[in-house]
Amino acid sequence: MEATINSHQYSELADFITTLSTRDRDALQTRFQLPPLVINEMVELIDSYYTVGTLLTAPRQNDRDALWIVMDPHVEDPKDAVWSVECRMLADGKEGEAVLHVEFHADVLVYRYIGS
């Protein structure tokens, strides 16, 4: 069975990337429950990859070349699973260098890190 995320999870991922793209610190803190130190680190990382004004977006939900999803193999019921999601964010519509790593605990997005 191929791992997939549901439409709500994908929407959360896309909203997270859009919020990160605009560097909206208040939304990152209130909506995604990130502490200011983590937000500062994220913004620094994004600024090291892309210039301010670059529009970051999520890859299409079915793009297996840019969106990788893994379910915790030790969980029997998928609704109880932790889904690890890695995606190569699009920068101005083209595949960018930065890879966002998040997890979904049920439908809650949990930021892990940004790498390449």
Side-chain angles (χ1 to χ4, degrees):
M1 177 175 102
E2 186 172 311
T4 60
I5 55 176
N6 65 43
S7 59
H8 174 77
Q9 291 167 328
Y10 178 77
S11 178
E12 286 293 299
L13 176 67
D15 289 350
F16 183 84
I17 293 172
T18 299
T19 303
L20 181 58
S21 179
T22 61
R23 290 139 174 96
D24 186 339
R25 294 168 188 269
D26 290 334
L28 289 167
Q29 186 171 2
T30 57
R31 179 159 181 218
F32 297 103
Q33 304 300 306
L34 294 171
L37 288 174
V38 171
I39 294 168
N40 290 340
E41 179 182 288
M42 288 171 53
V43 170
E44 280 182 29
L45 282 167
I46 291 302
D47 287 347
S48 74
Y49 284 106
Y50 309 109
T51 58
V52 173
T54 300
L55 177 62
L56 301 177
T57 55
R60 290 183 326 274
Q61 188 171 357
N62 61 355
D63 185 348
R64 297 294 170 240
D65 292 331
L67 183 65
W68 309 284
I69 303 161
V70 179
M71 182 179 82
D72 182 343
H74 305 355
V75 177
E76 291 182 29
D77 188 345
K79 72 176 174 26
D80 297 328
V82 172
W83 298 87
S84 296
V85 177
E86 299 176 5
C87 75
R88 190 168 299 281
M89 295 181 282
L90 302 182
D92 291 333
K94 298 180 181 151
E95 194 171 287
E97 181 181 350
V99 177
L100 174 65
H101 300 258
V102 298
E103 291 178 352
F104 281 97
H105 299 243
D107 282 343
V108 177
L109 182 143
V110 178
Y111 169 75
R112 289 296 171 220
Y113 64 95
I114 296 170
S116 49

